[in-house]
Amino acid sequence: MNKERRATAKMIKIDPSIVLTVQDLTKTYTIGNSTITALNKVNLTIRKGEFIAIVGPSGSGKTTLINCLGALDFPDSGKIIYNVDAKGMGLDIMLMTNKQHKKMRLRKIGLIFQFYNLFPILTAYENVELPMVIDKKDPKLRKEKVKNLLKRIGLEERMEHLPTQLSGGEQQRVTIARALVNDPLIILADEPTGELDTETTTNIMKIFLDLKNAGESILMVTHNRRIAEVADRIITLTDGEFISEKNGGKPIKEIYKF
Ligand SMILES: Nc1ncnc2c1ncn2[C@@H]1O[C@H](COP(=O)(O)OP(=O)(O)OP(=O)(O)O)[C@@H](O)[C@H]1O
Ligand SMILES: [Mg+2]
């Protein structure tokens, strides 16, 4: 990451129903003499309570997009404007310092990855609590929040388990709770069901749909076109460009017969 970044981010008025808007986002990687365009002028707007799926072949730029939106990487050009106060005051994270980026990641963005990324020496409870500890939240508030979230995802009986004492699906549920613990503006999930069997995938998708129905905004990358169908919108990325968009919203019962 560029350590020379200066604080130039200014508040921009945006439509309050928008959570995130991306304009002409471009990211290239250069290795030796070759340059790869991972994202080529991508445009995207996500509104509050929307569930969007991104599909596309391997190497099409899906993870690069999640990393840029998740403030884990800096694009070359374009804009990534988050409705930071949730009332229509936007900030372009491209113009933030590393410190501001860090705060965005901690407070405003809930990240979920394919391989769970839980701390192996912390219990399920402690893993969920960690972002609140880093953010120096009040211990009483932490306890209440973490217990409620673990209950919400059906893991209150497993809170003292270490990640190795949990199934893959349970570990992914812990990461969902961890992503939600600081009340983010949006959940960004990169292949959240990539390691899971069909039944567990269905359970995770049901949790995502419950979250969406409770007003959360979700952007999910998936290889699985069937599960993408449950999202409100399905966007196909090819060679770093958005090539098509279609409506989803298919009931999960029609996708998996159970
Ligand atoms: N750190 C990096 N350095 C150089 N090239 C990279 C880097 N990260 C990704 N790339 C390249 O950028 C392109 C997009 O990669 P990305 O990981 O975003 O694809 P993806 O759509 O997530 O693929 P997959 O479905 O396999 O996860 C690929 O051609 C990849 O090789
Ligand atoms: Mg990827």
Side-chain angles (χ1 to χ4, degrees):
M1 257 190 219
N2 179 359
K3 291 199 171 69
E4 302 302 314
R5 301 188 74 86
R6 306 218 320 260
T8 51
K10 286 202 184 86
M11 288 287 189
I12 309 154
K13 191 92 191 89
I14 56 168
D15 179 340
S17 72
I18 292 174
V19 171
L20 162 68
T21 184
V22 176
Q23 293 164 14
D24 290 334
L25 197 70
T26 298
K27 171 83 183 171
T28 55
Y29 294 107
T30 305
I31 294 186
N33 291 330
S34 78
T35 299
I36 295 161
T37 303
L39 294 175
N40 191 6
K41 296 200 171 173
V42 167
N43 289 285
L44 168 70
T45 291
I46 305 174
R47 292 182 186 273
K48 275 182 201 160
E50 259 192 323
F51 180 11
I52 299 182
I54 306 258
V55 296
S58 183
S60 58
K62 304 182 299 296
T63 295
T64 306
L65 179 66
I66 293 281
N67 288 345
C68 292
L69 302 187
L72 296 168
D73 203 353
F74 286 105
D76 301 341
S77 60
K79 288 186 171 150
I80 302 173
I81 300 169
Y82 272 99
N83 182 358
V84 280
D85 69 350
K87 290 178 192 149
M89 290 316 287
L91 262 189
D92 186 350
I93 65 167
M94 295 271 293
L95 303 176
M96 288 182 185
T97 59
N98 287 343
K99 206 170 156 193
Q100 288 173 317
H101 239 200
K102 201 171 141 193
K103 265 194 191 164
M104 274 299 294
R105 275 198 302 273
L106 188 61
R107 296 189 181 156
K108 306 285 185 195
I109 300 163
L111 285 161
I112 299 170
F113 302 101
Q114 180 174 0
F115 297 108
Y116 325 132
N117 291 354
L118 295 171
F119 281 94
I121 57 161
L122 300 183
T123 63
Y125 181 97
E126 290 163 341
N127 265 288
V128 176
E129 188 189 27
L130 193 60
M132 292 187 94
V133 175
I134 296 170
D135 207 20
K136 301 188 176 75
K137 294 265 170 67
D138 170 62
K140 211 173 136 206
L141 178 71
R142 292 199 314 243
K143 196 168 172 188
E144 194 185 308
K145 196 72 192 279
V146 175
K147 283 199 167 167
N148 277 341
L149 277 171
L150 285 166
K151 202 169 166 199
R152 190 166 170 193
I153 53 147
L155 281 184
E156 67 269 50
E157 305 293 319
R158 300 280 190 279
M159 61 173 89
E160 294 309 323
H161 285 225
L162 293 168
T164 50
Q165 297 165 333
L166 295 168
S167 70
E170 287 168 346
Q171 288 182 63
Q172 197 57 302
R173 275 146 69 192
V174 173
T175 70
I176 293 172
R178 183 180 60 184
L180 289 167
V181 81
N182 275 343
D183 298 317
L185 289 171
I186 191 166
I187 293 177
L188 302 175
D190 192 359
E191 303 273 6
T193 59
E195 290 298 296
L196 304 174
D197 60 38
T198 306
E199 194 184 333
T200 319
T201 294
T202 315
N203 289 334
I204 296 290
M205 293 318 295
K206 281 186 193 161
I207 292 176
F208 276 17
L209 286 170
D210 284 348
L211 293 174
K212 176 211 134 59
N213 290 332
E216 303 284 348
S217 315
I218 305 167
L219 181 69
M220 175 186 73
V221 161
T222 180
H223 264 113
N224 187 333
R225 286 181 179 265
R226 278 173 81 201
I227 68 160
E229 298 280 340
V230 304
D232 302 320
R233 291 197 274 147
I234 306 150
I235 291 168
T236 303
L237 201 60
T238 300
D239 292 334
E241 291 182 36
F242 278 177
I243 57 152
S244 68
E245 175 172 333
K246 64 172 192 161
N247 288 331
K250 202 168 174 180
I252 197 160
K253 281 190 178 174
E254 284 182 24
I255 297 173
Y256 294 114
K257 310 287 177 207
F258 52 83

